[in-house]
Amino acid sequence: FPVTIAGEKKKAVAALPDDSTKVNLLWDISNYYFNRDNASGIQFGQQSLALAQQLSWLKGVGWAYFILGENYCFKSDLPMALDQHFNALKVFEELGNSELGAKGKVLDAIGRTYLRMNKFDKSLEYHLASLKLLIAVQDSMLIATSYGNIANIYIIQDQPIQAIDYYNKSLKIFEPMKDTKGISNTLLNIGNIYLTRKIYDSALIYSYKSLALFEAASMKESISINKGNIGQCYLEMYLQRPENKQYLSQAITYLNLS
């Protein structure tokens, strides 16, 4: 929500009784600030946690730990982020099958945190565990995102075939949803794999598909990145076949547009 609404929500907190509605409102404010103002995000997350604990409301406690973990992760205090996320995981495990979706989100957050710590095997372990739960609760958007996260780890581990497999799984979910951002970014990632593997024809196919979506959505930064990739493809193709001057012309055109 915009800053003006954030201000209104902070005013509303003071007028509320100490109940679950107030816990949720404090959580909302912490969630707003986590990637904008860590100090405020942590402050409101701690208030949400304290009140949920006072009320003995376990679900509220679990989500408060989760948002604190997200705040600390964005702050790059990764050990503290893990502590908070594992606290959340313990709570949701106590709540059992009623909170499988919440547990899946926490496992995903732990996987993301381990990835930032360059602990790739641990990251993959938690992402795969998260995926199983997200599939069980049929959370399509998070399933698609999880496939992409797993693919990213396989790229880092230099396992391109597995990465493409998981990117394609995410595409199968994004496409029926008509999620332009999800589709275009996934196509771009697949194109990058083929570019790195020097399979330039395939790289161009995915890059052009991605570019068309980025242009339709007027995503300028992504358009520039994509055109740079296309230019790089044509340049590498020219270096392989210098007699084909058209490749050089295309390379210059797209690289100048990137």
Side-chain angles (χ1 to χ4, degrees):
F1 41 89
V3 175
T4 53
I5 299 178
E8 291 300 317
K9 291 206 172 196
K10 283 192 281 186
K11 290 179 183 178
V13 165
L16 286 174
D18 289 344
D19 59 11
S20 61
T21 300
K22 188 171 184 177
V23 172
N24 287 333
L25 189 54
L26 289 165
W27 191 96
D28 283 344
I29 298 170
S30 177
N31 185 52
Y32 171 78
Y33 279 122
F34 94 90
N35 60 352
R36 296 174 172 87
D37 177 357
N38 279 138
S40 294
I42 291 169
Q43 175 190 346
F44 284 101
Q46 288 172 338
Q47 290 178 26
S48 179
L49 174 62
L51 182 53
Q53 289 173 328
Q54 178 185 323
L55 297 170
S56 298
W57 184 34
L58 277 183
K59 182 176 178 180
V61 170
W63 281 115
Y65 278 132
F66 172 81
I67 198 59
L68 281 169
E70 295 296 90
N71 273 276
Y72 282 114
C73 191
F74 201 84
K75 187 183 177 182
S76 295
D77 188 344
L78 302 180
M80 181 62 80
L82 277 182
D83 284 346
Q84 301 301 321
H85 284 143
F86 276 114
N87 285 337
L89 182 61
K90 182 179 179 181
V91 172
F92 289 129
E93 285 178 337
E94 289 178 16
L95 290 170
N97 291 339
S98 65
E99 295 299 330
L100 287 181
K103 184 179 174 182
K105 290 178 183 179
V106 175
L107 289 168
D108 175 78
I110 293 171
R112 286 188 280 106
T113 305
Y114 275 128
L115 180 61
R116 290 191 58 189
M117 298 171 78
N118 295 327
K119 295 184 177 181
F120 306 125
D121 289 340
K122 295 291 288 184
S123 179
L124 184 59
E125 174 189 342
Y126 279 92
H127 276 304
L128 290 171
S130 169
L131 180 61
K132 289 181 181 179
L133 295 181
L134 296 175
I135 290 173
V137 298
Q138 299 181 340
D139 191 328
S140 296
M141 179 57 74
L142 283 179
I143 291 169
T145 303
S146 183
Y147 282 141
N149 289 336
I150 293 168
N152 293 339
I153 297 169
Y154 279 129
I155 288 176
I156 293 169
Q157 295 182 322
D158 194 26
Q159 298 185 60
I161 295 174
Q162 291 89 332
I164 290 173
D165 180 44
Y166 274 90
Y167 280 138
N168 281 326
K169 288 179 179 180
S170 69
L171 272 180
K172 289 179 180 178
I173 297 175
F174 282 135
E175 286 174 342
M177 296 171 65
K178 298 183 179 179
D179 185 318
T180 300
K181 183 177 180 180
I183 297 168
S184 53
N185 282 329
T186 304
L187 291 169
L188 175 63
N189 289 335
I190 295 173
N192 283 339
I193 292 174
Y194 283 121
L195 174 58
T196 302
R197 304 290 293 180
K198 301 182 180 181
I199 307 174
Y200 301 120
D201 289 345
S202 294
L204 284 174
I205 290 171
Y206 282 94
S207 295
Y208 274 121
K209 286 181 179 179
S210 180
L211 178 61
L213 292 172
F214 284 135
E215 288 179 332
S218 300
M219 299 170 69
K220 294 182 180 180
E221 183 177 350
S222 297
I223 290 170
S224 177
I225 292 170
N226 219 326
K227 287 183 176 179
N229 289 349
I230 292 172
Q232 188 63 35
C233 280
Y234 280 120
L235 179 59
E236 297 295 338
M237 292 166 72
Y238 168 71
L239 293 174
Q240 288 182 347
R241 297 175 59 187
E243 71 277 6
N244 195 328
K245 302 299 183 183
Q246 184 180 358
Y247 290 156
L248 178 60
S249 176
Q250 292 279 58
I252 292 171
T253 298
Y254 277 98
L255 289 172
N256 284 336
L257 291 172
S258 66

